[in-house]
């Protein structure tokens, strides 16, 4: 069993290292490509009302045993503001989603629109454009730091094992 685990780790290690490198690079790229806070215009806090919903499936993780991606059923509820903004939320159960639509559930969201593009993002009401950008950058840098840490730990283990094999 011990030999099997060692062989499995040696087989997985190169793929894990490459994956961690690519995840770190993608996170840094997303952080660098993130528009600055000045690019966002604060459209204010709006009250969104649940108006409609529909069941759908979302693609999950890869299931090696079945050679396919897992799927999960969700109930998507669309919220609309009187000014025309839209926001969608996935509910895990259909009954919760239908209940939100039936009760005309209302949610307060802040709308941040990109000045150069015709797109927008809805965030929690307490976030300003500056806070939103800082939060996103912090998330991307945390992901890249974790990936680089795993990569460094894997490299250290590799060097220790190489050193151990060379010593008599």
């Amino acid at each position: 069993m011990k030999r099997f685990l060692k062989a499995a780790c040696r087989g997985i290690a190169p793929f894990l290292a490459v994956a961690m490198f690519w995840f770190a690079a993608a996170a840094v790229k997303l952080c660098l490509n993130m528009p600055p806070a000045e690019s966002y215009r604060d459209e204010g806090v709006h009250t969104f009302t649940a108006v409609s919903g529909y069941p759908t499936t979302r693609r999950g993780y890869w299931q090696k045993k079945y050679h396919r991606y897992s799927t999960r059923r969700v109930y998507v509820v669309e919220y609309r503001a009187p000014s025309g903004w839209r926001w969608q939320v996935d509910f895990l159960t259909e009954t919760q989603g239908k209940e939100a639509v039936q009760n005309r559930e209302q949610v307060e969201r802040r709308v941040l629109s990109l000045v150069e593009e015709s797109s927008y993002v809805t965030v929690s009401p307490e976030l300003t454009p500056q806070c939103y950008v800082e939060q996103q950058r912090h998330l991307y840098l945390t992901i890249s730091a974790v990936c680089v840490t795993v990569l460094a730990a894997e490299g250290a283990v590799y060097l220790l094992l190489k050193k151990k094999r060379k010593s008599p």
Side-chain angles (χ1 to χ4, degrees), residues 61-70:
Y61 60 92
W62 177 255
Q63 292 179 321
K64 187 175 181 181
K65 182 178 179 181
Y66 301 112
H67 303 288
R68 65 177 175 85
Y69 283 96
S70 66

Side-chain angles (χ1 to χ4, degrees), residues 131-161:
C131 291
Y132 170 71
V133 170
E134 287 175 6
Q135 188 182 46
Q136 290 299 108
R137 286 198 174 138
H138 180 72
L139 173 69
Y140 295 144
L141 292 177
T142 302
I143 290 170
S144 63
V146 167
C147 291
V148 168
T149 303
V150 169
L151 191 59
E154 190 176 341
V157 168
Y158 174 76
L159 291 175
L160 287 173
L161 290 176

Side-chain angles (χ1 to χ4, degrees), residues 54-60 70-76 90-96 98:
Y54 57 92
T56 188
T57 57
R58 299 277 190 231
R59 191 167 101 168
S70 66
T71 56
R72 60 186 170 109
R73 301 272 308 157
V74 294
Y75 194 79
V76 179
D90 291 352
F91 283 87
L92 295 178
T93 62
E94 190 169 339
T95 55
Q96 285 178 332
K98 284 184 176 180

Side-chain angles (χ1 to χ4, degrees), residues 4-72:
F4 171 75
L5 289 175
K6 281 184 180 179
C9 287
R10 282 192 199 120
I12 293 173
F15 297 110
L16 180 64
V18 170
M20 289 297 115
F21 174 77
W22 284 111
F23 282 137
V28 168
K29 182 179 178 185
L30 284 171
C31 182
L32 293 175
N33 290 342
M34 177 103 188
E38 296 79 33
S39 297
Y40 290 96
R41 181 178 23 200
D42 189 355
E43 301 289 344
V45 177
H46 297 272
T47 303
F48 288 80
T49 306
V51 293
S52 64
Y54 57 92
T56 188
T57 57
R58 299 277 190 231
R59 191 167 101 168
Y61 60 92
W62 177 255
Q63 292 179 321
K64 187 175 181 181
K65 182 178 179 181
Y66 301 112
H67 303 288
R68 65 177 175 85
Y69 283 96
S70 66
T71 56
R72 60 186 170 109

Side-chain angles (χ1 to χ4, degrees), residues 84-104:
W85 305 107
R86 294 179 182 198
W87 177 56
Q88 291 184 342
V89 178
D90 291 352
F91 283 87
L92 295 178
T93 62
E94 190 169 339
T95 55
Q96 285 178 332
K98 284 184 176 180
E99 186 177 306
V101 172
Q102 192 174 32
N103 295 337
R104 296 284 188 202

